[in-house]
């Protein structure tokens, strides 16, 4: 186990994650805790392609929306429990990755990012004008639980438990990826794509693998969101802010690090919920986002992870 | 005479409407060191990239060891035995020396040979062996050049292409670099190097090809090329 997860800090962090929602009986805090984990799943999924492989996607809401719609359409059209839509979301995400990834990976850097924005915007317009999937109105989940499989709970704690399991699986998977040859190639692509290519890394193939993994986990996050909230419309499924959230959380914690996206989510989700609760206005959190992005770009482009390493190094130097 | 390892004929590379190179032709014999000369913007880098499969040839043929390789993906070309050490080294500065070297062996088919190739690089550059767990970003200029060269050698190439290997290095470091290249050549490796410094290039090269605005304008044995007035023209423009 030590080889997989070094450092004692990990044990402390894991313990805190397990205990966090039980520290309070307040349903609001419990809900914030659950939403934090959900955001951490999305941001960690984004991290595979955006962090490790350095392909900054601003269109990951597409995958989130696919997962969310798959869940609620499985209920609305087939009468299945929403969670049964999960495999459909994953399959659809694979199909999208292949159709979209192959041509857009010919683009590099900013051009790739812009293409992903365009794709997400297109998907949003498509869904808004497609009556079969509810058009602009959206799709509802079951109003009350028909069976346990509907996963409808009044408390946020069961959702917290589910999200924690999925996040643990995703992070374990990412850790294994980090240690694998593929992770090695992805980081090489992320730091200098042309050189990686010239050394013989099949760049486009590995970028596609990363997108397949990243998209599938993002769609799982969308499905889980739909299961918990029981409603999705074009904006809450495909809105650009969903993509921006993933990018900013990963960047704040440290893109391309294992726990960076989780740390980013643990800061930004409570911040957003607190500003909403205090001032009611939906916009304040995004003002804070703007400030955070500027501070990051100026002082610590590698996110808090880089800042942390820098501080630890300073301590060691002083101790020596 | 030894067989031709690489033959480029009538190569053209376009970037949209822009012409990268127009008509480059060159031949590299096995075991030789060949210099690709020319002023900045003459098309040396583009030519090397096209050979490596990093740029698509819009016309012409590239033949390596008797087989057409133009149009093949870069990883297939490295796998056949052509390595490119890019201008400015372009190391993975966040990764360790050893990780950089291992990335160089990406295209290696027999993974079992990895250890042997690592040892060969460390024998060539003992300094890299001492720093194998150090991040590439912490190396000095000379060590970076060694690492870039070592990384290119890790794919066990038959042909090593170097783009401006001496750029930005201290004179003493350049001397030792060229000693190393001479040693590699003596061990049977074929070299193709793009170099702005005429003196250095002609010192090691058997033959030279001179490019001017994307065309091969002059070729021949390196010693004779050095005497030709056209060489100065290619570097300094038509006025001379």
């Amino acid at each position: 186990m030590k080889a997989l997860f070094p450092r004692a800090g990990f044990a402390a962090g894991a313990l805190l994650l397990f205990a966090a929602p039980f520290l309070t009986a307040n349903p609001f805090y419990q809900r914030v805790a659950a939403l934090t984990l959900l955001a951490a799943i999305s941001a960690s999924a984004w991290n595979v392609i955006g962090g490790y492989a350095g392909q900054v996607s601003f269109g990951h809401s597409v995958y989130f929306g696919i997962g969310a719609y798959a869940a609620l359409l499985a209920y609305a059209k087939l009468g299945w429990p929403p969670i049964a839509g999960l495999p459909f979301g994953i399959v659809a995400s694979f199909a999208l990755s292949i159709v979209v990834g192959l041509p857009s990976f010919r683009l590099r850097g900013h051009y790739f990012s812009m293409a992903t924005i365009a794709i997400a915007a297109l998907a949003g317009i498509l869904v808004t004008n497609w009556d079969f999937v509810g058009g602009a109105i959206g799709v509802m989940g079951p109003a009350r639980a028909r069976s346990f499989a509907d996963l409808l709970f009044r408390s946020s704690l069961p959702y917290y438990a589910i999200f924690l399991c999925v996040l643990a699986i995703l992070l374990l998977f990412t850790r294994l990826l980090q240690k694998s040859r593929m992770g090695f190639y992805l980081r090489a692509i992320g730091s200098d794509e042309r050189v990686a290519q010239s050394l013989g890394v099949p760049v486009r193939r590995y970028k596609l693998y990363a997108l397949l993994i990243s998209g599938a986990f993002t769609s799982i996050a969308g499905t889980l969101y739909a299961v918990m909230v029981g409603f999705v419309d074009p904006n809450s499924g495909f809105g650009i802010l969903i993509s921006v959230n993933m990018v900013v959380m990963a960047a704040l914690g440290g893109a391309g690090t294992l726990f960076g996206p989780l740390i980013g989510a643990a800061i930004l989700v409570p911040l957003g919920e607190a500003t909403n609760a205090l001032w009611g206005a939906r916009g304040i959190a995004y003002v804070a986002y703007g400030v955070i992005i500027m501070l990051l770009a100026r002082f610590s482009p590698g996110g808090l992870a880089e800042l942390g390493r820098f501080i630890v190094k300073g301590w060691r130097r002083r101790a020596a | 005479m030894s067989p031709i390892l690489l033959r480029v004929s009538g190569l053209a590379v376009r970037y949209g409407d822009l012409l990268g190179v127009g008509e480059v032709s060159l031949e590299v014999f096995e075991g030789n060191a060949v210099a690709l000369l020319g002023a900045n913007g003459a098309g040396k880098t583009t030519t090397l990239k096209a050979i490596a499969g990093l740029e698509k040839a819009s016309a012409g043929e590239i033949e390596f060891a008797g087989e057409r390789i133009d149009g093949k993906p870069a990883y297939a070309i490295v796998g056949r035995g052509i390595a490119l050490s890019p201008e400015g080294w372009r190391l993975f500065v966040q990764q360790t020396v050893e990780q950089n070297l291992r990335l160089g062996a990406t295209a290696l088919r027999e993974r079992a040979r990895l250890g042997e190739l690592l040892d060969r690089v460390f024998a060539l550059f003992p300094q890299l062996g001492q720093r194998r767990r150090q991040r590439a970003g912490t190396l000095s200029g000379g060590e970076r050049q060694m690492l870039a060269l070592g990384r290119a050698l890790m794919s066990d190439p038959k042909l090593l292409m170097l783009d401006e290997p001496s750029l930005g290095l201290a004179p003493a470091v350049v001397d030792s670099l060229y000693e190393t290249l001479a040693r590699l050549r003596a061990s049977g490796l074929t070299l193709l190097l793009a170099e702005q410094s005429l003196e250095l290039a002609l010192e090691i090269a058997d033959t030279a090809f001179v490019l001017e605005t994307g065309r091969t304008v002059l070729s021949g044995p390196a010693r004779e090329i050095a005497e030709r007035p056209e060489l100065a023209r290619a570097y300094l423009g038509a006025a001379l």
Side-chain angles (χ1 to χ4, degrees):
Chain A
M1 213 46 198
K2 191 162 191 291
L4 276 180
F5 289 109
R7 294 189 203 114
F10 166 73
L15 200 67
L16 185 70
L17 277 177
F18 277 114
F22 301 104
L23 296 176
T24 169
N26 185 329
F28 175 74
Y29 293 141
Q30 291 178 345
R31 187 178 160 80
V32 172
L35 289 176
T36 300
L37 287 190
L38 186 64
I41 295 170
S42 307
S44 300
W46 178 90
N47 195 32
V48 174
I49 183 86
Y52 290 103
Q55 308 299 307
V56 178
S57 159
F58 276 98
H60 255 48
S61 61
V62 165
Y63 293 110
F64 189 86
I66 282 176
Y69 271 84
L72 295 185
L73 287 174
Y75 166 75
K77 302 291 175 190
L78 305 170
W80 294 359
I83 192 73
L86 189 128
F88 293 97
I90 293 176
V91 170
S93 82
F94 283 158
L96 184 79
S97 292
I98 292 166
V99 171
V100 165
L102 284 179
S104 62
F105 282 147
R106 289 181 175 277
L107 305 170
R108 270 191 287 271
H110 306 315
Y111 297 102
F112 172 77
S113 299
M114 284 195 281
T116 61
I117 295 176
I119 288 159
L122 259 170
I125 293 167
L126 190 78
V127 170
T128 309
N129 292 290
W130 189 7
D131 290 334
F132 180 75
V133 300
I137 300 160
V139 201
M140 294 280 292
R144 69 180 46 171
R146 299 162 301 170
S147 72
F148 181 77
D150 279 343
L151 299 178
L152 269 183
F153 311 107
R154 194 156 300 175
S155 161
S156 297
L157 289 181
Y159 296 114
Y160 186 90
I162 295 168
F163 298 168
L164 192 59
C165 289
V166 174
L167 181 65
I169 292 167
L170 172 54
L171 291 183
L172 183 70
F173 190 84
T174 310
R175 181 66 186 157
L176 292 172
L177 185 72
Q178 250 184 353
K179 293 255 167 195
S180 72
R181 188 187 298 178
M182 176 171 164
F184 202 42
Y185 288 167
L186 289 185
R187 261 171 295 163
I189 292 168
S191 47
D192 195 331
E193 189 175 332
R194 294 292 277 177
V195 172
Q197 191 185 3
S198 81
L199 293 179
V201 177
V203 168
R204 282 178 66 202
R205 193 190 312 163
Y206 276 96
K207 284 203 284 193
L208 181 63
Y209 291 162
L211 188 63
L212 287 169
I213 295 167
S214 176
F217 274 104
T218 311
S219 103
I220 292 173
T223 298
L224 295 176
Y225 168 83
V227 167
M228 180 181 178
V229 175
F231 170 71
V232 67
D233 66 3
N235 197 42
S236 62
F238 291 93
I240 181 133
L241 284 177
I242 296 167
S243 306
V244 171
N245 272 328
M246 295 182 215
V247 180
V248 174
M249 282 168 194
L252 172 62
T257 64
L258 184 58
F259 295 113
L262 171 61
I263 293 167
I267 294 168
L268 291 181
V269 173
L271 180 75
E273 295 294 329
T275 56
N276 286 348
L278 284 176
W279 293 295
R282 291 273 293 153
I284 303 285
Y286 294 106
V287 176
Y289 274 31
V291 174
I292 288 169
I293 291 172
M294 281 193 286
L295 289 176
L296 274 180
R298 171 65 185 81
F299 294 107
S300 184
L304 293 176
E306 184 187 81
L307 204 64
R309 266 199 295 270
F310 186 73
I311 291 169
V312 169
K313 213 189 257 174
W315 273 338
R316 289 211 182 120
R317 201 166 293 159
R318 200 165 297 173
Chain B
M1 196 146 202
S2 51
I4 290 180
L5 188 60
L6 176 79
R7 186 206 305 270
V8 175
S9 45
L11 173 74
V13 177
R14 288 178 177 282
Y15 302 101
D17 290 337
L18 231 73
L19 197 63
V21 297
E23 200 174 340
V24 170
S25 299
L26 57 89
E27 280 160 4
V28 178
F29 289 92
E30 209 172 310
N32 272 11
V34 174
L36 199 55
L37 304 173
N40 236 336
K44 303 187 298 278
T45 297
T46 305
T47 302
L48 294 187
K49 280 184 172 171
I51 296 168
L54 297 173
E55 301 290 354
K56 213 170 152 269
S58 53
E61 289 181 9
I62 303 170
E63 226 175 79
F64 180 70
E67 280 180 74
R68 286 281 292 271
I69 56 163
D70 46 306
K72 294 221 172 345
Y75 58 82
I77 293 174
V78 193
R80 277 161 195 256
I82 301 184
L84 170 66
S85 177
E87 182 177 346
W89 316 314
R90 291 178 64 172
L91 301 171
F92 298 105
V93 291
Q94 299 290 334
Q95 314 241 20
T96 64
V97 167
E98 186 174 331
Q99 284 172 329
N100 269 276
L101 291 174
R102 283 175 180 275
L103 272 166
T106 298
L108 199 68
R109 290 209 186 98
E110 308 153 73
R111 305 303 297 175
R113 294 196 51 213
L114 202 115
E116 168 204 329
L117 286 162
L118 267 177
D119 289 343
R120 192 176 79 174
V121 171
F122 290 146
L124 199 59
F125 304 114
Q127 260 165 292
L128 292 183
Q130 289 159 18
R131 303 187 191 285
R132 66 193 286 175
R133 309 227 174 278
Q134 225 168 295
R135 282 194 188 198
T138 64
L139 300 182
S140 72
E143 289 163 347
R144 283 176 194 226
Q145 174 57 63
M146 290 175 198
L147 183 53
L149 198 54
R151 188 177 64 179
L153 289 172
M154 284 299 290
S155 64
D156 197 20
K158 295 192 197 89
L159 171 68
L160 174 63
M161 304 193 291
L162 298 139
D163 196 0
E164 303 287 359
S166 69
L167 204 70
L169 290 177
V173 180
V174 172
D175 286 344
S176 77
L177 166 70
Y178 271 79
E179 273 166 35
T180 310
L181 291 182
R183 250 195 293 163
L184 287 172
R185 208 202 124 197
S187 75
L189 189 68
T190 310
L191 298 173
L192 174 59
L193 70 161
E195 178 67 84
Q196 278 220 69
S197 162
L198 273 179
E199 218 188 312
L200 284 170
L202 295 178
E203 187 184 300
I204 190 172
D206 303 289
T207 50
F209 292 83
V210 182
L211 303 189
E212 190 183 345
T213 57
R215 299 166 184 279
T216 308
V217 290
L218 194 61
S219 64
R223 230 162 278 151
E224 290 170 27
I225 290 270
E227 314 292 322
R228 299 277 286 269
E230 295 100 311
L231 183 62
R233 202 196 62 168
Y235 270 80
L236 303 169
L240 277 162

